[in-house]
Amino acid sequence: MKMQIKEFAGFTGVSVRTLHYYDEIGLLKPAYVDEHTGYRYYDEFSVLRMQDILFYRELDFSLKSIGKILSSPNYDKEKALIEQKKLLILKKERLEKLISAIDGAMKGANIMNVFDNSEFENYKQEVKEKWGKTNSYKEYTEKTKNFSNDNWHNIADGLNDIFAEFAVCMKNGENAHSVAAQDLVKKLQNYITENCYTCTNEILAGLGQMYIFDERFTANINKNGNGTAAFVSNAIEAYCRK
């Protein structure tokens, strides 16, 4: 099987522009490029890799994370599919609960139990235990071990001030790729590094995802204006692509 880029785009439902970007960052290279015409060609292995990418994107993994997973020498496609299925089932169950909750709310029922986030908290604890082995967590522990409540409040206020600046930037009509927005991302990164731990681009990208996928972070950031969390996340993603 051999497909030119437009045919492959139509077959997979991914835009040609996205395929160019995936090629640029090394996530999905063409099977080969005609040296005379410059045409990109994709094959059945390209389809299988795109399938993996699309599954992980559906589960809200960042492109950088997907690249690391797929390039790992320990990557086991069969095990990955099992894990993907399990995560998709959890996502489906979560959505079904929310849909039922809306129906219940319309009838005046108490639906607060649907917002029980214990499963997420368990997962977060699991991540924390893994992160505890990293240099970043050790640095964070050392830097904040003597923090008082005032210290923590001041750090939180500083973060909120930066998010408020993002909101103003968005309201002024700037887009996430603008110089103003990118300067604010750098300001955010520097602030976290100065006050908590060395905020690498990889960590920053993870925070950007958390700002839109953790409802509590989203709600807090959006107090500065609806859409602020998504704007910050998009600006971070653009910054980390550089």
Side-chain angles (χ1 to χ4, degrees):
M1 181 178 69
K2 182 175 72 174
M3 290 183 279
Q4 287 190 17
I5 191 167
K6 286 185 178 179
E7 186 183 0
F8 186 70
F11 182 74
T12 59
V14 176
S15 70
V16 170
R17 182 178 178 182
T18 297
L19 291 173
H20 279 295
Y21 181 64
Y22 285 0
D23 182 10
E24 179 185 333
I25 65 175
L27 184 61
L28 176 64
K29 292 283 187 183
Y32 72 94
V33 178
D34 190 306
E35 60 181 14
H36 300 295
T37 64
Y39 291 162
R40 293 171 166 87
Y41 290 91
Y42 297 82
D43 59 14
E44 59 270 23
F45 296 104
S46 307
V47 173
L48 292 174
R49 184 162 175 102
M50 178 57 79
Q51 175 183 286
D52 288 336
I53 293 169
L54 292 176
F55 271 130
Y56 281 116
R57 287 299 285 162
E58 188 65 30
L59 292 166
D60 306 320
F61 281 72
S62 68
L63 294 179
K64 184 177 288 187
S65 295
I66 296 171
K68 286 186 175 182
I69 291 169
L70 298 184
S71 62
S72 170
N74 299 319
Y75 181 66
D76 186 318
K77 185 174 179 62
E78 186 175 350
K79 288 182 179 178
L81 286 171
I82 292 171
E83 291 175 353
Q84 288 165 352
K85 181 179 179 180
K86 186 175 181 179
L87 288 168
L88 285 169
I89 289 172
L90 288 173
K91 186 175 182 179
K92 172 176 171 285
E93 290 173 349
R94 173 69 172 166
L95 290 173
E96 287 176 344
K97 286 180 182 178
L98 289 171
I99 292 169
S100 296
I102 290 174
D103 290 337
M106 292 173 68
K107 297 176 182 177
N110 182 349
I111 50 86
M112 292 308 297
N113 63 322
V114 76
F115 298 108
D116 174 19
N117 220 20
S118 58
E119 189 169 8
F120 174 80
E121 289 299 328
N122 290 336
Y123 174 72
K124 187 170 73 171
Q125 181 61 32
E126 185 179 318
V127 172
K128 183 178 178 182
E129 289 171 1
K130 293 178 182 177
W131 190 41
K133 301 175 183 177
T134 68
N135 291 330
S136 295
Y137 187 72
K138 292 174 184 175
E139 180 187 358
Y140 170 77
T141 302
E142 181 63 28
K143 187 174 287 189
T144 63
K145 65 181 180 182
N146 295 319
F147 273 18
S148 65
N149 287 335
D150 285 341
N151 291 134
W152 288 114
H153 285 307
N154 289 336
I155 288 175
D157 288 343
L159 282 173
N160 285 331
D161 287 344
I162 295 174
F163 291 138
E165 290 185 65
F166 272 107
V168 171
C169 182
M170 178 182 68
K171 291 170 184 175
N172 286 340
E174 300 282 355
N175 63 52
H177 298 263
S178 68
V179 173
Q182 292 301 291
D183 284 347
L184 283 175
V185 174
K186 184 61 178 175
K187 182 176 182 178
L188 175 64
Q189 186 178 38
N190 288 341
Y191 185 84
I192 295 171
T193 295
E194 290 167 7
N195 291 281
C196 299
Y197 49 81
T198 302
C199 186
T200 64
N201 281 11
E202 183 178 2
I203 291 174
L204 183 65
L207 291 173
Q209 294 291 305
M210 185 173 65
Y211 292 159
I212 55 173
F213 294 122
D214 186 324
E215 297 170 355
R216 293 163 300 177
F217 279 94
T218 303
N220 185 58
I221 295 172
N222 280 349
K223 289 177 181 178
N224 297 290
N226 288 335
T228 303
F231 182 77
V232 175
S233 180
N234 290 336
I236 289 174
E237 184 176 1
Y239 179 90
C240 293
R241 283 180 180 176
K242 294 177 182 178

